[in-house]
Amino acid sequence: MVSAAIGLAFLPLLLTLIIRYRYYFVLFYRAVLLRVWHDCRSGLSREERAYQYVLTHATPGDPESILNAFDAWCSKVEYISNIGPKKGMILDRLLMEQSPLTVLELGAHCGYSTVRIARALPLGARLYSVEMDQKNAAIAEKILRLAGFDDDTVELIVQPSDEVIPQLRSDYGIERLDFVFMDHWKKCYRPDLQMLEGSGLLGKGSMIVADNVLFPGAPKFLRHIRKSGLYEWKIHQAMLEYSRGIRDGMAELVYMGVN
């Protein structure tokens, strides 16, 4: 009887927590529990399942069709943390405004944002996309070829970002990065940005865009850009991709250099 009474006493608190954090529970169910169940049932990774869906629902050679198929799969079938269509439109606009010729992407995952960036680049531009996971990189490669992009437009580099950045000048002949998109491990945002600062590859006006800086969040990265004095910056408020009720944001940085 005492245990039952204690349980009833905590019931209102439990219901309050469930209601307050319901969107996070839904995200956990979609991103973790469903993924484990589908992994066991299909014997394929989530990224392989996404590729199969895109392959059967998109038009080869049409980047927009491929992005739409990805968005449909992530919204209606399984969750993948791509940048998504709404934040993607912010990225599209910034790319159109900047017209960058040399772009670095940190975190290709399975190729969604890579296709999104590549399709917005001006003629003659080149995108270097870094992905450390070999299996995901193999899928990204297939997605890029399905979208119609070749090695002259996109070079996929399968290595950890902290190994690639010091090699960009010597191994890839890059003298300046006009645009950097960060969507890899959030704990890597700050050290990778500091490595880019020290590399000499950021020039005045170079733009860095970082996704998911509010959720799951990159507090050390945000603290660095506030204190460094190297950037003009802003946060684009948004909702987490393919979700409801979870606030997120993208950081837009313009490198101003050392005074």
Side-chain angles (χ1 to χ4, degrees), residues 154-201:
V154 182
E155 181 162 353
L156 191 61
I157 304 170
V158 189
Q159 274 184 274
S161 56
D162 61 349
E163 295 179 7
V164 174
I165 292 171
Q167 301 171 349
L168 289 174
R169 190 185 301 274
S170 60
D171 291 5
Y172 299 93
I174 298 174
E175 295 297 326
R176 172 191 163 105
L177 291 169
D178 301 313
F179 197 102
V180 179
F181 178 60
M182 306 176 79
D183 194 13
H184 55 324
W185 291 105
K186 312 315 164 194
K187 66 180 181 181
C188 297
Y189 279 19
R190 184 184 68 170
D192 283 355
L193 181 61
Q194 290 174 319
M195 201 176 296
L196 286 169
E197 292 165 2
S199 71
L201 295 175

Side-chain angles (χ1 to χ4, degrees), residues 39-72:
D39 285 352
C40 295
R41 185 177 64 89
S42 69
L44 300 173
S45 71
R46 177 182 56 178
E47 290 76 16
E48 288 170 327
R49 293 191 295 274
Y51 170 69
Q52 287 188 343
Y53 183 93
V54 172
L55 188 63
T56 56
H57 288 78
T59 304
D62 183 350
E64 200 69 34
S65 171
I66 288 168
L67 294 176
N68 289 339
F70 256 122
D71 290 334

Side-chain angles (χ1 to χ4, degrees), residues 59-238:
T59 304
D62 183 350
E64 200 69 34
S65 171
I66 288 168
L67 294 176
N68 289 339
F70 256 122
D71 290 334
W73 192 85
C74 295
S75 298
K76 300 173 184 177
V77 185
E78 290 187 62
Y79 179 87
I80 283 186
S81 183
N82 299 318
I83 188 174
K86 294 183 179 179
K87 286 188 291 183
M89 287 191 291
I90 300 173
L91 178 63
D92 295 346
R93 176 176 58 79
L94 295 174
L95 286 164
M96 293 296 290
E97 290 173 357
Q98 291 291 109
S99 293
L101 292 177
T102 306
V103 180
L104 175 67
E105 178 188 33
L106 300 178
H109 198 187
C110 49
Y112 177 94
S113 56
T114 317
V115 170
R116 187 152 209 129
I117 294 169
R119 88 199 209 290
L121 295 181
L123 187 66
R126 189 161 173 78
L127 168 60
Y128 298 85
S129 183
V130 179
E131 173 55 50
M132 67 177 291
D133 186 290
Q134 292 187 358
K135 291 182 179 179
N136 289 345
I139 292 168
E141 181 83 22
K142 294 176 184 178
I143 290 292
L144 286 166
R145 302 304 168 240
L146 186 66
F149 298 112
D150 58 22
D151 289 333
D152 292 333
T153 303
V154 182
E155 181 162 353
L156 191 61
I157 304 170
V158 189
Q159 274 184 274
S161 56
D162 61 349
E163 295 179 7
V164 174
I165 292 171
Q167 301 171 349
L168 289 174
R169 190 185 301 274
S170 60
D171 291 5
Y172 299 93
I174 298 174
E175 295 297 326
R176 172 191 163 105
L177 291 169
D178 301 313
F179 197 102
V180 179
F181 178 60
M182 306 176 79
D183 194 13
H184 55 324
W185 291 105
K186 312 315 164 194
K187 66 180 181 181
C188 297
Y189 279 19
R190 184 184 68 170
D192 283 355
L193 181 61
Q194 290 174 319
M195 201 176 296
L196 286 169
E197 292 165 2
S199 71
L201 295 175
L202 298 179
K204 189 169 184 178
S206 294
M207 179 172 285
I208 300 99
V209 176
D211 194 18
N212 304 126
V213 296
L214 300 183
F215 184 88
K220 292 181 179 179
F221 171 82
L222 294 178
R223 191 156 50 243
H224 171 70
I225 64 176
R226 289 190 188 105
K227 293 182 177 180
S228 68
L230 297 174
Y231 304 96
E232 291 182 353
W233 63 279
K234 67 173 77 171
I235 302 294
H236 295 275
Q237 301 286 338

